[in-house]
Amino acid sequence: MPHPTSFIASIWTTDTEGVCTSVVDHGPGALPPFAVATRLQDWVRLYAADPQPADRVADALAGSAPIHCDVDIPCADGRVRRIVVSGLPRMEAGGGIAGWSGAFADVTEQKATLDRALRSEAEHRLIVDHSMDLIAHCGVDGRYLHVSPSYTTVVGWDAAQLVGRSVLEFLHPDDQAPAGAALARLLAGEDIADVLVVRKRHRDGHYVELGSKVRKVTDPVTGTVFGAVLVSRDITRERQMLHRVEDAHARLRTILESIEDGFFSVNRNWEITYANTLAEVFVGVEPGTSGGRVLWDVANDLDGTETSVIYRRAMATRANAAFETYYEPEGVWLSVRVYAHDEGLSVFFHDITDRKRAEERLEQLATRDDLTGLPNRAWLNGHLRSMLGQARGQAETTVLFIDLNRFKEVNDSLGHAAGDHLLRQVGQRLQSCLRPGDVVARLGGDEFVVAAHCAGRGAAAGIAQRLLETLTNPFHIDGLEMCVGASIGISLSGQDGATPELLFQNADTAMYKAKALGASSYQFFEPEMSVEARRRLQVEAALRRALELGQFELYYQPRIDVRTWRLRGVEVLLRWKHPELGQVSPLEFIPIAEERGHIEAIGRWALREACRVGKRLSDQYGTQLHVSVNVSARQLRSAELVADVEQALRETGFAPRALELELTESALIDDIDQSVDVLHRLKRLGVKLALDDFGTGYSSLSYLKRFPVDVLKLDRSFFLEECPNGDEFVAALVHMAHALGLTVVAEGIETEEVMETLRGCRCDEAQGYLFARPMALAEFDKFLQCEVPGVLAA
């Protein structure tokens, strides 16, 4: 151990060549740094004032001997410090040397003291007596002749208790034989350079681990050995430090074995110094067998690849690197992190194949339609920009906007699976009839777009005609043959727009014009079509503030008892009168309101206003007026619908039993389970439910029993002259509804002949122009006043 006035500057370990493998620094940090991968003899030679200590270190390493030398080191603080470089060999289990463990001890102060002590024997004795090293002298019989006072400090025995007793007596039983043999050889005249590690019993019973040097004492004239000097040092802490370092290495290995990354390290000769099990299994070698093998031999498919180039560059420049690479032998994607250091490289890698596949999937979702595999609108926008930037002589960038004509019928009648099957077939057919260079994309729903270079309208019309022909041929879905057809709008960059957005907009406008013409047809965009599109934009803009500005109004159309012609109730209808646009038809603004998300607020206002008027009129005429209010599909899907109805009834005081909510069949079957849940919650409020436009859909009979409705409203199409067997069909529907306990209301009644039919089949109520047109509140109030008191049916 060092003198009390000294300190341990560093504790280190090296390999068998003296190359530092670990170092723990202490003290003020004035010494030059001794770093990992630095050779001990090189460090001494570089910083020592005298070259001889480096030679002694090199000799000790070459001879597998303990290291001990004093070195004068010029330090950063300007002083020359005396450093004791000492180290002991680390033994392997098989008896070989694994390296050295040692320390740098600053003994500058000791040296100064020693120099002074040399001037007198008294001072010399003082140093011995106060040294923390155990200094002893024994005779040829192996018994103590003299011990330093430090024995008392380190092992608890006084000098008087030791002098005259065998130096072996206080050793651990297992150490006595080898120590005795070494002492015997020494006293016989043999030189012993090795440091003996022994355990000496402390006075209190525990053992202190000592590193001991033994030197023979000889007569300078005759050479006769007459004793030995033993200098021992407590290496317990040093050994503990070594154990802690070994434990740290063990913990590091445990960590590297437990992480989900593969890990390996290589030295500058590309020899693997460590690889965790995951890395070894990955490259197909037996766990624990890769150490010392060259990396390129273990992973023989790696050499010569871009990854090996990165490894070599990192080794040469000592620069870290992180990258992703495809490892061909295993067919996987890896994320690799390379850390360069003086000894070589440390590499972590992780299998990211699942992530890469997910990224590819996200890329596909971002640019491809999931159902058909066709490009989507985002991809097409970029492609159109590229097409517009490529001049092709007289060719113009052309957009053909395609909308299927009867897709909703297929979806509603056969279900979404059949609809998806149809869309996939449509996508395949569209692709099959395109020219090289043309592309087709799906925008969503039943809307497709073809982008092509066309030399004028004639070429564009030829493409449109081929598309229509392929789409008018029958499709086969679930064993059924059906014809769909399409409407196509066409815009060309030369005359209709030079941006993807404008081409889309104009082609969309032309498509609506084609759809309005009916059948399967195509239309080129014409400037006058913008008038219609502009009207839609005006309606959209005005609709945003229509409710806030009080521009909506409710109209009222009576419902009449078929048998008695008495008033049974009233249906409220929404009307919008704009100061500039004039009277806007519900057929025009309601789809826009639903599309733009305004219908919930408008419907909430209409519901509250209908209940308020119904309450006032009921109180005014002394009887309960039944009020029917339409509910849109979007309102039905809203989570607030039930709460809105409850609030309207509570705030107005209108009787729940007098409120009837009309819902269309198409809205209900959009999500059957949700619709059934909402209807039951509305029924618990006490309101009545009506199924509007019955018979215009395709699933009414299948789902009618699931919906807790009270009223069935027959669509006016049943009462048109061109409806074959209309009377019999109406009678059957009325009979079915009555069997289910439902009230039947006929809509759109305009003639007395139809009324006679309704009486004959015992229909319950009717409404239409035969009785009254929808009227404003003031006019409806007068209508009620003209009625004979008491005619309101209960």
Side-chain angles (χ1 to χ4, degrees):
M1 289 297 293
H3 191 273
T5 58
S6 69
F7 65 91
I8 298 296
S10 301
I11 297 176
W12 44 260
T13 61
T14 71
D15 61 17
T16 57
E17 301 297 325
V19 178
C20 180
T21 57
S22 68
V23 62
V24 179
D25 290 325
H26 296 282
L31 288 179
F34 179 50
V36 171
T38 302
R39 293 207 316 168
L40 180 61
Q41 54 269 47
D42 293 342
W43 184 87
V44 174
R45 181 170 288 106
L46 178 62
Y47 295 110
D50 184 352
Q52 290 186 357
D55 295 335
R56 289 199 295 273
V57 171
D59 292 341
L61 293 170
S64 301
I67 300 168
H68 189 279
C69 63
D70 296 344
V71 184
D72 291 328
I73 301 292
C75 295
D77 58 6
R79 299 178 60 189
V80 175
R81 309 190 74 85
R82 172 61 61 88
I83 303 301
V84 174
V85 180
S86 60
L88 298 175
R90 296 195 315 276
M91 308 305 294
E92 293 179 332
I97 293 178
W100 276 259
S101 298
F104 299 152
D106 187 347
V107 296
T108 305
E109 300 304 324
Q110 283 181 295
K111 177 179 178 298
T113 302
L114 181 60
D115 290 342
R116 289 192 299 271
L118 291 176
R119 289 192 290 267
S120 69
E121 182 64 26
E123 290 178 349
H124 178 73
R125 174 62 62 185
L126 185 64
I127 292 173
V128 172
D129 289 347
H130 288 82
S131 173
M132 288 302 295
D133 286 345
L134 307 183
I135 303 173
H137 181 202
C138 71
V140 292
D141 59 357
R143 296 180 181 275
Y144 284 115
L145 299 175
H146 172 77
V147 297
S148 64
S150 56
Y151 270 82
T152 303
T153 304
V154 176
V155 295
W157 299 102
D158 295 334
Q161 296 173 307
L162 296 177
V163 172
R165 302 175 74 170
S166 171
V167 297
L168 304 177
E169 179 181 346
F170 297 91
L171 298 185
H172 189 282
D174 294 342
D175 296 338
Q176 290 179 358
L183 182 61
R185 293 200 310 274
L186 182 79
L187 294 175
E190 183 180 340
D191 291 324
I192 298 178
D194 295 341
V195 174
L196 302 178
V197 178
V198 296
R199 290 162 290 179
K200 201 172 193 69
R201 188 175 75 253
H202 194 279
R203 185 175 181 179
D204 63 11
H206 76 276
Y207 284 90
V208 178
E209 198 163 15
L210 302 176
S212 300
K213 294 180 180 180
V214 185
R215 296 290 183 268
K216 60 188 177 183
V217 179
T218 61
D219 187 298
V221 178
T222 65
T224 303
V225 177
F226 58 84
V229 173
L230 301 90
V231 180
S232 304
R233 179 172 295 174
D234 185 353
I235 61 171
T236 303
R237 292 184 181 179
E238 180 182 328
R239 302 284 283 189
Q240 289 174 345
M241 181 63 71
L242 179 60
H243 291 321
R244 284 199 293 270
V245 171
E246 292 174 346
D247 289 344
H249 288 167
R251 287 195 297 272
L252 179 59
R253 286 193 294 271
T254 301
I255 292 172
L256 291 175
E257 287 295 331
S258 63
I259 62 176
E260 296 182 357
D261 285 8
F263 171 82
F264 64 88
S265 59
V266 295
N267 60 23
R268 302 192 68 81
N269 294 322
W270 299 105
E271 296 168 338
I272 296 175
T273 56
Y274 179 78
N276 65 5
T277 302
L278 193 152
E280 291 180 312
V281 170
F282 182 80
V283 296
V285 302
E286 188 71 22
T289 64
S290 63
R293 298 175 64 179
V294 175
L295 173 64
W296 317 119
D297 295 337
V298 173
N300 52 13
D301 293 299
L302 185 61
D303 199 12
T305 65
E306 180 62 26
T307 300
S308 72
V309 172
I310 296 174
Y311 285 170
R312 295 180 191 277
R313 186 184 303 122
M315 182 78 83
T317 61
R318 298 191 185 181
N320 298 336
F323 58 94
E324 294 178 358
T325 183
Y326 187 74
Y327 189 61
E328 189 70 39
E330 296 297 324
V332 297
W333 278 93
L334 299 177
S335 173
V336 183
R337 288 163 291 142
V338 182
Y339 299 95
H341 46 79
D342 292 342
E343 290 184 328
L345 299 179
S346 294
V347 180
F348 294 84
F349 64 88
H350 189 76
D351 187 342
I352 58 169
T353 304
D354 290 342
R355 195 200 79 194
K356 295 293 285 188
R357 288 174 179 167
E359 288 175 353
E360 291 173 2
R361 177 62 174 158
L362 289 175
E363 175 67 18
Q364 183 180 23
L365 291 175
T367 60
R368 293 276 166 176
D369 172 53
D370 191 44
L371 178 63
T372 63
L374 297 175
N376 61 15
R377 182 163 194 154
W379 183 91
L380 188 60
N381 274 331
H383 185 69
L384 276 175
R385 288 190 178 89
S386 177
M387 292 177 67
L388 289 168
Q390 298 171 357
R392 289 197 178 184
Q394 301 299 317
E396 299 178 76
T397 300
T398 304
V399 168
L400 298 95
F401 200 107
I402 306 164
D403 186 85
L404 303 183
N405 287 343
R406 300 185 59 208
F407 174 72
K408 188 176 186 303
E409 296 180 17
V410 175
N411 226 24
D412 291 346
S413 59
L414 299 181
H416 292 296
D420 291 347
H421 191 191
L422 173 61
L423 292 174
R424 283 190 288 267
Q425 289 191 38
V426 168
Q428 293 167 1
R429 287 197 187 182
L430 293 177
Q431 284 183 301
S432 68
C433 63
L434 294 182
R435 307 168 305 172
D438 298 346
V439 296
V440 58
R442 179 179 176 233
L443 301 190
D446 59 346
E447 295 178 339
F448 295 81
V449 168
V450 169
H453 281 294
C454 296
R457 288 196 172 197
I463 295 176
Q465 192 60 47
R466 288 199 305 273
L467 297 175
L468 288 177
E469 288 175 0
T470 192
L471 293 178
T472 52
N473 290 329
F475 289 87
H476 295 86
I477 309 293
D478 293 341
L480 298 177
E481 181 180 285
M482 58 188 66
C483 295
V484 178
S487 300
I488 301 178
I490 309 172
S491 65
L492 291 87
S493 60
Q495 60 182 21
D496 301 332
T499 67
E501 293 76 15
L502 195 54
L503 285 173
F504 272 127
Q505 177 182 322
N506 292 343
D508 188 31
T509 300
M511 183 275 295
Y512 277 107
K513 184 66 174 180
K515 187 174 284 291
L517 295 177
S520 289
S521 63
Y522 63 86
Q523 285 288 310
F524 285 92
F525 174 77
E526 302 295 347
E528 55 268 22
M529 294 179 184
S530 295
V531 176
E532 299 175 9
R534 190 176 299 110
R535 166 74 179 188
R536 177 181 172 88
L537 292 176
Q538 289 175 328
V539 170
E540 286 185 18
L543 193 58
R544 296 190 189 100
R545 298 193 63 199
L547 185 60
E548 176 187 344
L549 297 175
Q551 296 172 354
F552 289 112
E553 183 181 7
L554 293 184
Y555 272 48
Y556 303 83
Q557 186 173 35
R559 278 181 19 189
I560 304 300
D561 188 297
V562 171
R563 291 167 297 173
T564 66
W565 284 61
R566 295 172 64 188
L567 182 67
R568 292 289 295 268
V570 62
E571 179 180 358
V572 297
L573 303 168
L574 186 64
R575 295 293 183 265
W576 177 25
K577 186 175 182 180
H578 189 270
E580 297 175 1
L581 300 177
Q583 195 75 37
V584 185
S585 168
L587 296 178
E588 182 179 9
F589 75 79
I590 286 182
I592 297 175
E594 288 190 328
E595 180 182 336
R596 297 305 181 193
H598 304 307
I599 196 65
E600 290 94 334
I602 295 172
R604 195 177 300 116
W605 172 85
L607 178 64
R608 189 163 51 245
E609 182 68 8
C611 291
R612 185 188 67 79
V613 172
K615 172 64 173 173
R616 182 179 70 79
L617 294 178
S618 296
D619 293 344
Q620 179 179 340
Y621 292 99
T623 187
Q624 184 65 63
L625 180 66
H626 292 264
V627 178
S628 179
V629 181
N630 288 281
V631 175
S632 73
R634 186 155 180 148
Q635 282 180 277
L636 183 64
R637 292 193 297 270
S638 171
E640 288 79 29
L641 175 60
V642 177
D644 290 343
V645 173
E646 186 177 18
Q647 183 177 0
L649 293 171
R650 183 176 64 254
E651 291 179 353
T652 62
F654 192 55
R657 69 180 184 280
L659 176 63
E660 181 179 289
L661 302 179
E662 295 190 17
L663 308 108
T664 61
E665 174 191 13
S666 58
L668 291 172
I669 67 173
D670 187 57
D671 188 331
I672 299 294
D673 293 335
Q674 181 188 8
S675 297
V676 170
D677 176 65
V678 172
L679 294 185
H680 278 293
R681 291 166 60 198
L682 289 171
K683 288 288 290 182
R684 286 195 288 271
L685 296 180
V687 302
K688 291 185 177 181
L689 303 176
L691 185 60
D692 197 13
D693 296 336
F694 180 77
T696 59
Y698 300 88
S699 306
S700 302
L701 298 179
S702 302
Y703 296 110
L704 188 58
K705 293 181 67 175
R706 293 191 62 184
F707 299 139
V709 297
D710 306 286
V711 179
L712 205 64
K713 300 194 74 175
L714 300 181
D715 185 70
R716 60 175 301 174
S717 59
F718 290 119
F719 310 110
L720 300 178
E721 293 182 1
E722 58 266 26
C723 180
N725 301 318
D727 294 351
E728 293 83 355
F729 193 51
V730 169
L733 290 177
V734 172
H735 179 73
M736 176 199 68
H738 286 169
L740 295 174
L742 305 179
T743 299
V744 182
V745 179
E747 296 183 290
I749 308 305
E750 299 182 3
T751 66
E752 293 190 4
E753 288 79 8
V754 175
M755 276 296 288
E756 289 301 321
T757 299
L758 296 177
R759 288 195 190 94
C761 64
R762 303 183 67 183
C763 182
D764 301 296
E765 299 179 31
Q767 66 184 85
Y769 288 177
L770 179 62
F771 315 108
R773 291 175 177 270
M775 60 193 83
L777 178 58
E779 188 180 357
F780 181 60
D781 204 356
K782 292 179 181 178
F783 176 85
L784 292 178
Q785 292 172 12
C786 293
E787 294 290 318
V788 178
V791 299
L792 291 176

